[in-house]
Amino acid sequence: MSHVDATLPLAVEGDRLALAAWIADEASEDAVRAGLPDIAAGSAIRRGNIRAAIKALAQQPTPRLLLVDIEGDASPLQALDALSAVCAPDVRVIVLGDRSDIGFYRQLTRELGVDEYLPKPLTRDTISGVLRRRMSEAPEGEGAAGARGGRLVAVMGVRGGAGGTTIAANLAMQIASDTRGHVCLLDMNLRGGNAALLLGVQPSGALRTALEQPERADALFIDRVAVPVTERLRVIASEEPLGSQPAPTEEGVRHLLDLLLQRFNVVVADVALPPSAAERTLLSRARQRVLVMTPEVTQIRDMMAARTFLSELPGDGSTISVLNRANARWGLETKLLEQGLGGKPDIRLPDLPVELAKAANIGRAAVLDYPAWRKALAPLVQEATGHRLVDAQASGLGQIFKGLFRR
């Protein structure tokens, strides 16, 4: 029997398979094939365990429904953590294994967010009932992102020229590169936004439609308008004429975010200050709100005003202050800057005007070529993606992995 059905015609939704499976033993693979005799029409079944699935899914789109086999894995919970990092948040995961105790089942399904756990040996009736039901269920709709979705990070320069867009674009690239997760860079500056330009791509132009007419946006719409930069990073932006008057609605922003947070592990949004009423909806949803300033007296004032504004918004997102061009010769002295801010900025980024200008001119993220910039952004990447713990089983499953595939 072939272990890899590479020659079968595959039914895909957008660029995604309906079903992909990595199964460790022949008997279980036979049960899956027998339970779904028409599976070749929309699936790929491969021989291998969860580690093989992680390696493969770090390089290819996430299927809608995923089967992984944890039999024999010494650290299955850590493996599932690693799997969640490379899968889109809307994936539905069914785990196969050789443990049959109810406690383990509850850990996987209630705390990790796994859709189902099937202990071996498998039967064709079990597979037929579970997989057909999951494959026939409609994708989670609007509002689902709160229960199953990615993280939203909003980046704002407190004043034009502070470097907010540059940091947003490079942050998105570095998250995608470091975590192998699915990342979207969303440029909310519909007139004159530079996020797509910094990454060398042409905006699709449909963002305004999604924000003004939310009924026209669905999951397939997002796949069409999100312009790929790399395998793991996409950009959604627009270049509206300067004389136009875009009118994003709060409902449009909410609906777009629901779609994006189901599709991507991390959404990095470039937002201008002061934000519109619709953009305030985005800021209220953001897990982190990143305020970017340069070492100037006027930007101390703007940073304090922005902090006050964000503290009055609903939501429980944290605010992160970033001092860009921290070591610039013309900048304010550190002592005076910290006195004005009432403390140290959370993150300091170096002054690299030549390097960043070169990167911008060729449409390439600076983090790909300049280690100093990449190293400086690393703390912000960690804040944006969340911490990962090494010894999960020894530290308390419920606190660490709760909602692994729902975050």
Side-chain angles (χ1 to χ4, degrees), residues 29-63:
E29 182 179 339
D30 289 345
V32 171
R33 294 183 183 280
L36 291 174
D38 55 347
I39 197 169
S43 68
I45 302 178
R46 298 173 172 88
R47 182 67 59 82
N49 62 9
I50 187 172
R51 304 290 175 172
I54 294 168
K55 184 177 181 180
L57 292 172
Q59 307 295 332
Q60 63 191 52
T62 306

Side-chain angles (χ1 to χ4, degrees), residues 47 81 104 134 136 154 156 169 189 253 262 287 307 314 319 342 347 355 372 376:
R47 182 67 59 82
D81 182 33
F104 186 66
R134 292 295 189 277
S136 65
M156 298 154 281
N189 303 295
V253 170
Q262 292 176 60
R287 184 81 64 90
R307 284 177 174 174
T319 298
I347 294 173
E355 294 87 342

Side-chain angles (χ1 to χ4, degrees), residues 303-313:
M303 173 65 79
M304 301 304 290
R307 284 177 174 174
T308 301
F309 167 75
L310 292 179
S311 69
E312 296 171 351
L313 289 179

Side-chain angles (χ1 to χ4, degrees), residues 193-264:
N194 293 323
L197 189 65
L198 290 176
L199 296 179
V201 296
Q202 181 67 35
S204 66
L207 176 57
R208 180 178 179 179
T209 300
L211 294 174
E212 293 180 341
Q213 305 174 54
E215 68 279 1
R216 295 183 60 181
D218 57 18
L220 292 179
F221 175 87
I222 295 302
D223 283 337
R224 290 194 299 270
V225 303
V227 181
V229 180
T230 68
E231 291 180 350
R232 295 284 155 162
L233 173 61
R234 295 195 177 202
V235 175
I236 298 180
S238 187
E239 288 185 351
E240 300 300 323
L242 293 182
S244 64
Q245 296 293 327
T249 65
E250 294 180 44
E251 175 61 25
V253 170
R254 279 194 295 268
H255 183 59
L256 178 64
L257 290 177
D258 284 337
L259 293 171
L260 293 180
L261 293 174
Q262 292 176 60
R263 178 67 176 83
F264 297 95

Side-chain angles (χ1 to χ4, degrees), residues 347-389:
I347 294 173
R348 300 169 65 92
L349 299 178
D351 185 28
L352 300 173
V354 175
E355 294 87 342
L356 294 182
K358 286 182 178 179
N361 285 336
I362 63 174
R364 180 174 167 86
V367 294
L368 298 177
D369 299 315
Y370 302 109
W373 186 240
R374 188 178 188 90
K375 181 179 179 181
L377 273 180
L380 188 55
V381 172
Q382 187 176 33
E383 290 288 344
T385 58
H387 299 281
R388 294 193 179 280
L389 302 182

Side-chain angles (χ1 to χ4, degrees), residues 66-89:
L66 174 64
L67 273 71
V68 291
D69 198 330
I70 62 172
E71 181 177 0
D73 194 285
S75 304
L77 304 180
Q78 292 182 23
L80 286 166
D81 182 33
L83 179 67
S84 73
V86 300
C87 288

